[in-house]
Amino acid sequence: MLEMDHVALQTRDVAASVRFYVENFDAEVLYEDATWAFLRMGQGKLALVSPEQHPPHVALRVSEATLAQAAARAGKQIDKHRDGTIGIYLDDSQGNVIELICYPPGETAYEKKSRD
Amino acid sequence: MLEMDHVALQTRDVAASVRFYVENFDAEVLYEDATWAFLRMGQGKLALVSPEQHPPHVALRVSEATLAQAAARAGKQIDKHRDGTIGIYLDDSQGNVIELICYPPGETAYEKKSRD
């Protein structure tokens, strides 16, 4: 089953953007460092990314099997991210980037955090 | 309560993009015309918009009261859209556009459709 996981927006100042979304839209910080943050906003999630590191994108959550199939079909290598998620970026042919993202069970920062 | 309502991506060919998201990601078409489409993807929604008409944006769903307050604070006029929703665009100061959108009860294309 395909689910929308998050939207990623670019910012040159992650800390200032985190403050903006927390103060204006009640965002909850799930992860934050100098070049990347991950926020919960209502039932959705927002990533704030550095323009040098990631394109703006919409991420769809998939299983490891679906990700592996899609990567093979697209001829792409699966990237591992600092939070333990894995994924690939796809182009929608109109300049928009779609990420297929997978949260391998027991491997991500969010699960480890919740077990503390 | 703030909820993420949809993400809007720009496209120069709405029909082709609708096909792309339906074929690749099992999107369901909620609304489509020549310059705008609205798709359900998993638990999320994706808008496909013409670059001349709308910026790419993330839309948060709010009540009429919250929208009216935010519009007054921002000094913005509330726009009415072709599907009956109303909203304003806000700038996050990093080049990203956030829409506050409201679905007035009984006024939108989606509710009317579901009553047919």
Side-chain angles (χ1 to χ4, degrees):
Chain A
M1 177 58 191
L2 175 151
E3 285 178 44
M4 203 176 282
D5 185 71
H6 68 266
V7 187
L9 301 178
Q10 291 183 329
T11 174
R12 298 213 162 270
D13 187 336
V14 169
S17 288
V18 167
R19 280 198 305 277
F20 176 85
Y21 286 97
V22 167
E23 286 170 11
N24 288 284
F25 304 122
D26 294 328
E28 174 197 354
V29 180
L30 299 174
Y31 184 98
E32 180 179 2
D33 65 27
T35 60
W36 189 67
F38 207 31
L39 309 178
R40 182 169 295 286
M41 287 175 68
Q43 85 285 27
K45 288 184 288 184
L46 184 70
L48 298 167
V49 302
S50 162
E52 292 76 25
Q53 296 188 349
H54 296 284
H57 61 267
V58 176
L60 305 175
R61 188 167 177 160
V62 296
S63 67
E64 284 189 79
T66 298
L67 179 61
Q69 285 166 10
R73 202 162 50 227
K76 300 229 172 187
Q77 199 173 342
I78 295 172
D79 297 319
K80 180 155 186 172
H81 308 127
R82 70 192 88 174
D83 62 358
T85 60
I86 56 176
I88 58 171
Y89 288 126
L90 300 173
D91 176 0
D92 82 343
S93 88
Q94 293 288 323
N96 304 300
V97 177
I98 301 296
E99 181 182 22
L100 298 184
I101 190 169
C102 171
Y103 290 67
E107 297 296 318
T108 67
Y110 316 107
E111 253 191 291
K112 286 172 186 162
K113 201 173 167 186
S114 70
R115 284 205 305 266
D116 284 348
Chain B
M1 177 57 191
L2 175 151
E3 285 179 44
M4 203 176 282
D5 185 71
H6 67 266
V7 187
L9 301 178
Q10 290 183 331
T11 174
R12 298 212 163 271
D13 187 338
V14 169
S17 288
V18 167
R19 279 198 305 277
F20 176 84
Y21 286 96
V22 167
E23 286 170 11
N24 288 284
F25 305 121
D26 295 328
E28 173 198 352
V29 180
L30 299 175
Y31 184 99
E32 180 179 2
D33 64 28
T35 59
W36 189 68
F38 206 31
L39 309 177
R40 181 170 296 286
M41 287 174 68
Q43 84 287 27
K45 288 183 288 184
L46 185 70
L48 298 167
V49 302
S50 162
E52 292 76 24
Q53 295 188 349
H54 296 282
H57 60 267
V58 177
L60 306 175
R61 187 166 176 160
V62 296
S63 67
E64 285 190 77
T66 299
L67 178 61
Q69 283 167 10
R73 205 164 45 230
K76 300 229 172 188
Q77 200 173 342
I78 295 172
D79 296 320
K80 181 155 187 171
H81 307 127
R82 70 193 87 173
D83 62 358
T85 60
I86 55 176
I88 58 171
Y89 288 127
L90 300 173
D91 175 1
D92 83 342
S93 88
Q94 294 287 323
N96 304 300
V97 176
I98 302 296
E99 181 182 23
L100 298 184
I101 191 170
C102 171
Y103 290 67
E107 297 296 316
T108 68
Y110 316 107
E111 253 190 290
K112 285 173 188 162
K113 200 173 167 186
S114 70
R115 283 205 305 265
D116 284 348

